[in-house]
């Protein structure tokens, strides 16, 4: 984000090439490459990054260094382990008495776990909305106020012979119900029983 803010986004784009007929664009990109090479050289101190920097020390091609680093990170065993950990967490995540935050915080946490997972996998490997909804339904099934959202949606689908709400709509319905529940629970300490 900082590189983009400072006009260095071209270096982060592995497909970008300056217009060979525009000397200003070539000079600007060359400056960006030098600046970002220095940033990478002194900011990323892993062994792999150092290896990529050494490979391009002669041409100071920050674009290639960053590209190799991103490719390595996507395909590393650590990334695979993190994908496995996040997937396991998502399938086991439950809103129950062990959750210490609010109901709204649980839903936002659930959504954040998917965001983290989505950042690590290729777009064609992301879990689809139907499976996301199934996991979310399972995560909140022990909380009656949220389970009612699922039941109401199912009744509506059967009665009106329509599709059930999609994941995003379902999440937003749960979020509204959670906010109301949390608000009422704050005002009535005896009601905060999951």
């Amino acid at each position: 984000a900082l590189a983009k803010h400072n006009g260095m986004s071209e270096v982060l784009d592995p497909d970008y090439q300056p217009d060979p007929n525009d000397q200003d664009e070539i000079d600007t990109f060359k400056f960006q490459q030098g600046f970002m090479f220095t940033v990478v050289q002194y900011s990323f101190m892993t062994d792999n990054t150092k290896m990529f920097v050494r490979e391009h020390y002669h041409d100071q091609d920050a674009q290639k260094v960053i590209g190799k680093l991103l490719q390595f990170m996507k395909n590393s065993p650590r990334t695979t382990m993190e994908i496995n950990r996040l997937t396991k967490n998502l399938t086991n995540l439950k809103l129950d008495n062990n959750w210490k935050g609010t109901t709204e915080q649980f839903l936002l946490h659930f959504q954040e776990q998917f965001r983290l997972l989505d950042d690590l996998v290729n777009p064609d490997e992301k879990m689809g909305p139907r499976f996301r909804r199934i996991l979310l339904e399972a995560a909140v099934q022990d909380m009656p106020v949220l389970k009612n959202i699922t039941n109401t949606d199912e009744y509506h689908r059967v009665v009106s012979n329509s599709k059930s709400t999609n994941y995003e709509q379902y999440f937003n319905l749960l979020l509204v119900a959670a906010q109301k529940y949390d608000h009422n629970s704050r005002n009535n300490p005896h009601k905060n029983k999951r």
Side-chain angles (χ1 to χ4, degrees):
L2 193 56
K4 287 182 181 181
H5 177 74
N6 288 309
M8 301 289 167
S9 59
E10 288 85 2
V11 177
L12 302 177
D13 179 356
D15 299 323
Y16 175 79
Q17 289 298 319
D19 182 351
N21 300 320
D22 186 341
Q23 190 59 46
D24 286 341
E25 197 172 313
I26 293 169
D27 292 342
T28 300
F29 188 64
K30 189 174 182 179
F31 171 78
Q32 292 172 339
Q33 286 273 56
F35 178 80
M36 288 302 291
F37 190 84
T38 303
V39 169
V40 170
Q41 186 177 17
Y42 291 104
S43 298
F44 300 103
M45 302 306 283
T46 67
D47 291 335
N48 291 313
T49 305
K50 289 176 186 177
M51 179 181 68
F52 299 143
V53 166
R54 282 191 295 272
E55 286 175 8
H56 290 281
Y57 193 77
H58 66 284
D59 61 11
Q60 298 205 348
D61 193 335
Q63 188 179 40
K64 286 185 181 168
V65 172
I66 292 168
K68 287 179 179 182
L69 183 59
L70 291 173
Q71 191 64 31
F72 173 78
M73 289 169 48
K74 280 272 189 197
N75 298 323
S76 77
R78 285 187 187 134
T79 300
T80 302
M81 289 185 286
E82 182 63 7
I83 289 169
N84 291 339
R85 185 190 71 77
L86 287 166
T87 303
K88 183 178 178 183
N89 284 353
L90 277 164
T91 56
N92 293 324
L93 198 55
K94 301 284 182 239
L95 179 57
D96 56 21
N97 290 330
N98 294 323
W99 179 256
K100 301 300 180 205
T102 66
T103 310
E104 179 183 15
Q105 288 170 338
F106 175 85
L107 293 172
L108 296 175
H109 174 73
F110 184 91
Q111 190 174 49
E112 176 65 7
Q113 298 310 294
F114 263 118
R115 188 197 64 75
L116 292 170
L117 181 61
D118 288 346
D119 283 350
L120 295 176
V121 298
N122 294 323
D124 61 327
E125 296 174 331
K126 291 181 182 180
M127 286 188 204
R130 183 165 186 249
F131 192 64
R132 288 172 191 250
R133 179 172 168 161
I134 289 168
L135 289 177
L136 184 54
E137 285 178 10
V140 300
Q141 71 181 352
D142 294 335
M143 179 134 191
V145 69
L146 299 182
K147 175 75 173 165
N148 286 341
I149 301 292
T150 305
N151 293 340
T152 303
D153 182 50
E154 184 65 19
Y155 296 143
H156 173 62
R157 186 186 67 74
V158 170
V159 170
S160 65
N161 199 23
S162 63
K163 294 181 181 178
S164 57
T165 57
N166 64 34
Y167 170 77
E168 188 175 330
Q169 293 166 330
Y170 179 70
F171 180 86
N172 288 332
L173 287 171
L174 289 179
L175 194 57
V176 169
Q179 290 166 343
K180 288 180 179 181
Y181 175 81
D182 291 341
H183 176 75
N184 290 337
S185 295
R186 272 192 292 266
N187 294 337
N188 183 357
H190 301 290
K191 190 175 180 181
N192 195 11
K193 302 256 192 282
R194 289 194 184 119

